[in-house]
């Protein structure tokens, strides 16, 4: 049987429109910095994509700086914004959380949402100029974060605000003005574009010290010849998203069906962050007594790809700093997998996955044996 891919938060298949744009731009020659016709045609592709990225988040095209992905964007902002204090939520993706060594972490509540009272206290405890970084939606649990509220507190304390919107983009509407952030991070491959392309949306007069120098590209904010094929594909993916108007509703229905079916198998199943507003596509679910690695291997053998642990990073299965920050007990955290549906997911795939989960649960979980004996 065809394997089923349910790890769309790690990366999602490219939209055909994005593949076509990538191939089209790869077939022609030209450096976007050259002033001749070949160069100007390449520049045109970059500019069109820039407009689409800006539109996606309600920004101006001039605010968009293309990067080689979300990791670079987070690093560029948090290391380059010139603020001595870097205050990040405890559940940020490692590319934000570990961008600077001397970080301060904002705790989160048990439901997975950033604790605003703690942020307020942290900000008023020092006059050192800060940048605050709070993601729009968490990659492991899907829990949406109170970014606009965090920004309000940050502004009052004179801090800059950064938001990693990598997982939220394409799954929920984003308006940088309503969020009132100075910097926003995007990544193409989470929304149907290619891997290795991303963007920083820089609002107003905010600036950052570039990570790369030695070229005037991106108005001096990111030196290096642009990845035109990737950038064009990023823009095309956003266009395809805009045309697929019911994608979020579809994902939401599939995710809810999946969780209801798992509850029917095991009523006490724990879905992390389920009491908070979440992305439409993400489910972080524990199978009692079965290590995430064991589950993901068993499911992989059966033909299902899911995320295990902090699976966003290089296939490693390590305890999740996100679940730890939420105060999830070590056993529950160790048995959590992430199931994330995407624009290609179907009802049949969900049914097949639930059957496989039921089989692994019955075979490996002590909770299934207890339930059977009761
Ligand atoms: N931020 C979040 C929330 C992510 O989930 C990821 C995914 O890996 C990244 C940043 C990194 O983005 P990229 O893979 O484009 O470097």
């Amino acid at each position: 049987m065809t394997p089923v891919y349910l790890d769309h938060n790690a990366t999602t298949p490219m939209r055909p429109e994005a593949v076509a744009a990538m191939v089209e731009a790869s077939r022609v020659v030209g450096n976007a910095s050259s002033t001749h016709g070949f160069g100007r045609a390449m520049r045109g592709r970059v500019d069109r994509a820039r407009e689409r990225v800006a539109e996606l988040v309600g920004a101006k095209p001039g605010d968009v700086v293309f990067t080689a992905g979300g990791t670079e964007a987070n690093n560029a902002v948090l290391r380059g914004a010139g603020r001595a204090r870097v205050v990040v939520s405890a559940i940020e993706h490692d590319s934000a959380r570990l961008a600077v060594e001397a970080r301060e972490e904002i705790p989160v509540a048990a439901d997975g949402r950033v604790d605003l009272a703690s942020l307020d206290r942290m900000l008023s405890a020092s006059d050192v100029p800060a940048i605050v970084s709070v993601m729009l939606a968490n990659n492991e649990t899907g829990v949406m974060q109170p970014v606009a509220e965090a920004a309000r507190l940050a502004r009052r304390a004179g801090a800059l605000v950064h938001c990693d919107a990598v997982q939220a983009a394409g799954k929920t509407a984003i308006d940088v003005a309503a969020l009132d952030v100075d910097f926003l991070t995007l990544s193409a491959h989470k929304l149907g574009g290619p891997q290795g392309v991303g963007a920083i949306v820089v609002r107003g007069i905010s600036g950052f010290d570039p990570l790369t120098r030695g070229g005037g590209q991106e108005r001096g904010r990111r030196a290096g010849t642009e990845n035109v094929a990737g950038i064009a594909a990023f823009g095309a993916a956003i266009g395809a998203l805009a045309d697929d108007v019911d994608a979020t509703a579809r994902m939401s229905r599939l995710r809810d069906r999946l969780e209801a079916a798992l509850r029917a198998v095991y009523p006490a199943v724990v879905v992390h962050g389920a009491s908070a507003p979440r992305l439409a596509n993400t489910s972080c679910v524990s199978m009692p007594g079965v290590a995430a690695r064991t589950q993901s291997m068993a499911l992989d053998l059966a033909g299902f790809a899911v995320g295990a642990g902090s699976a966003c990073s290089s296939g490693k299965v390590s305890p999740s700093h996100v679940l730890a920050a939420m105060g999830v007990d070590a056993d529950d955290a160790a048995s959590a997998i992430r199931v994330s549906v995407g624009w290609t997911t179907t009802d049949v795939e969900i049914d097949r996955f639930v059957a496989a989960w039921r089989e692994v649960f019955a075979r490996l979980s002590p909770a299934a044996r207890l339930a059977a004996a009761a």
Side-chain angles (χ1 to χ4, degrees):
M1 268 208 273
T2 330
V4 173
Y5 186 79
L6 292 172
D7 199 11
H8 289 259
N9 283 11
T11 196
T12 198
M14 274 175 77
R15 295 269 185 175
E17 294 87 339
V19 175
M22 202 161 184
V23 170
E24 189 277 329
S26 305
R27 284 212 164 110
V28 289
V29 70
N31 183 318
S33 298
S34 301
T35 50
H36 49 60
F38 293 91
R40 289 197 308 276
M42 283 303 194
R43 165 77 37 221
R45 290 180 177 87
V46 174
D47 288 345
R48 278 192 295 283
R50 201 184 299 285
E51 281 165 18
R52 284 195 155 146
V53 172
E55 243 169 63
L56 179 74
V57 299
K60 293 198 283 292
D63 298 341
V64 176
V65 180
F66 285 113
T67 66
T71 299
E72 181 192 316
N74 284 345
N75 272 266
V77 171
L78 295 175
R79 288 160 64 177
R83 293 296 170 107
R85 267 183 104 193
V86 176
V87 179
V88 298
S89 90
I91 55 165
E92 292 302 302
H93 186 266
D94 279 353
S95 58
R97 205 169 60 98
L98 307 180
V100 301
E101 255 168 58
R103 65 180 184 275
E104 292 171 53
E105 288 194 0
I106 318 161
V108 300
D111 68 356
R113 283 174 57 93
V114 163
D115 180 354
L116 293 170
S118 294
L119 171 61
D120 203 19
R121 272 195 301 278
M122 290 167 78
L123 287 170
S124 40
S126 161
D127 289 334
V128 178
I131 180 164
V132 172
S133 182
V134 176
M135 67 200 330
L136 195 48
N138 182 263
N139 44 302
E140 293 185 31
T141 59
V143 171
M144 303 286 302
Q145 300 300 320
V147 173
E149 292 86 338
R152 210 161 23 245
L153 298 176
R155 296 253 171 262
R156 215 168 56 199
L160 291 171
V161 189
H162 167 251
C163 175
D164 176 343
V166 164
Q167 289 294 342
K171 298 169 195 155
T172 182
I174 300 176
D175 178 348
V176 277
L179 293 175
D180 194 21
V181 297
D182 298 287
F183 306 98
L184 187 100
T185 291
L186 298 168
S187 173
H189 74 103
K190 310 287 187 178
L191 52 73
Q195 298 175 354
V197 186
I200 306 169
V201 177
V202 185
R203 278 182 70 230
I205 54 160
S206 311
F208 61 94
D209 210 15
L211 282 180
T212 53
R213 294 160 189 273
Q217 291 91 351
E218 298 299 296
R219 293 213 223 143
R221 294 175 290 186
R222 201 243 182 202
T225 300
E226 296 90 342
N227 170 8
V228 178
I231 290 170
F234 188 5
I238 294 171
L241 255 177
D243 292 341
D244 190 3
V245 283
D246 66 347
T248 303
R250 231 168 40 230
M251 291 192 283
S252 172
R253 191 183 57 74
L254 290 168
R255 194 274 310 273
D256 291 352
R257 240 190 90 207
L258 162 77
E259 290 183 359
L262 297 185
R263 277 201 190 91
V265 174
Y266 178 55
V269 72
V270 175
V271 178
H272 301 282
S275 63
R278 276 184 301 161
L279 287 179
N281 77 317
T282 310
S283 196
C284 182
V285 52
S286 283
M287 182 187 282
V290 188
R293 187 174 169 70
T294 311
Q295 280 177 70
S296 71
M297 278 166 37
L299 289 165
D300 190 31
L301 276 174
F304 299 89
V306 297
S310 296
C312 239
S313 36
S314 62
K316 75 176 197 265
V317 181
S318 53
S320 155
H321 69 274
V322 174
L323 297 181
M326 289 164 66
V328 173
D329 87 57
D331 287 344
D332 267 357
S335 66
I337 60 164
R338 178 186 65 190
V339 186
S340 47
V341 305
W343 66 276
T344 54
T345 308
T346 62
D347 283 285
V348 172
E349 289 180 330
I350 295 296
D351 292 345
R352 283 178 53 202
F353 174 76
V354 171
W357 193 91
R358 179 191 292 115
E359 188 281 321
V360 175
F361 176 70
R363 185 157 50 88
L364 300 177
S365 177
R369 288 193 283 281
L370 287 177

